[in-house]
Amino acid sequence: GVGPSDVSPDEGVVEDLPLIDEKAVEQLTEGLISHYLPDLQRSKSALQELRQNQVVLLETLEQEISKFKECNSILDINVLFSEAKHYHNKLVNIRNEMMMLHEKTSKLKVSGINI
């Protein structure tokens, strides 16, 4: 036969539930939404403001990085200029030595000594 263990525990529950009032569900939903929606909208606007601030911050950082790159370029240019000055001085010294040697050889030629 059919014993007490053969009967489903859920049997008869559906019949025990009261009919769902659609208007009550709608009012509860609206109440729930009206309770949480203002906080969610404030959070949304706060997040949008935060995101805009992050965009501004990133742009500012990129500008600062480009300034540092320019500074490094200027330092490199300064090094090149100082090297150019150094080599220019060497060339001037070599030219002066060559002119002095030319004068000496010219004097020796005038003296009659062939080189």
Side-chain angles (χ1 to χ4, degrees):
V2 176
S5 62
D6 292 336
V7 178
S8 169
D10 292 334
E11 191 173 305
V13 171
V14 175
E15 292 85 18
D16 293 343
L17 286 176
L19 289 175
I20 297 172
D21 184 357
E22 294 292 330
K23 187 165 179 124
V25 169
E26 188 177 317
Q27 287 175 340
L28 286 169
T29 304
E30 285 177 9
L32 191 67
I33 288 173
S34 67
H35 180 73
Y36 287 108
L37 193 60
D39 286 338
L40 290 172
Q41 286 174 332
R42 280 193 294 274
S43 296
K44 180 182 178 183
S45 65
L47 286 171
Q48 285 174 334
E49 185 179 344
L50 179 64
R51 189 168 179 270
Q52 288 171 347
N53 289 340
Q54 284 179 331
V55 168
V56 170
L57 181 62
L58 283 173
E59 288 173 356
T60 306
L61 280 173
E62 285 173 3
Q63 290 172 0
E64 292 301 314
I65 288 170
S66 67
K67 285 180 188 176
F68 279 116
K69 286 181 181 175
E70 286 175 20
C71 286
N72 284 338
S73 300
I74 290 170
L75 288 175
D76 292 343
I77 290 171
N78 286 338
V79 167
L80 286 175
F81 274 123
S82 65
E83 285 181 3
K85 186 176 180 182
H86 173 73
Y87 287 115
H88 174 73
N89 288 339
K90 278 189 165 189
L91 285 172
V92 167
N93 288 338
I94 290 171
R95 181 173 167 257
N96 289 341
E97 284 183 32
M98 288 177 73
M99 286 174 56
M100 188 179 66
L101 288 172
H102 178 71
E103 280 180 33
K104 285 184 177 179
T105 54
S106 296
K107 285 180 184 174
L108 287 174
K109 282 182 182 177
V110 169
S111 302
I113 301 173
N114 287 330
I115 300 176

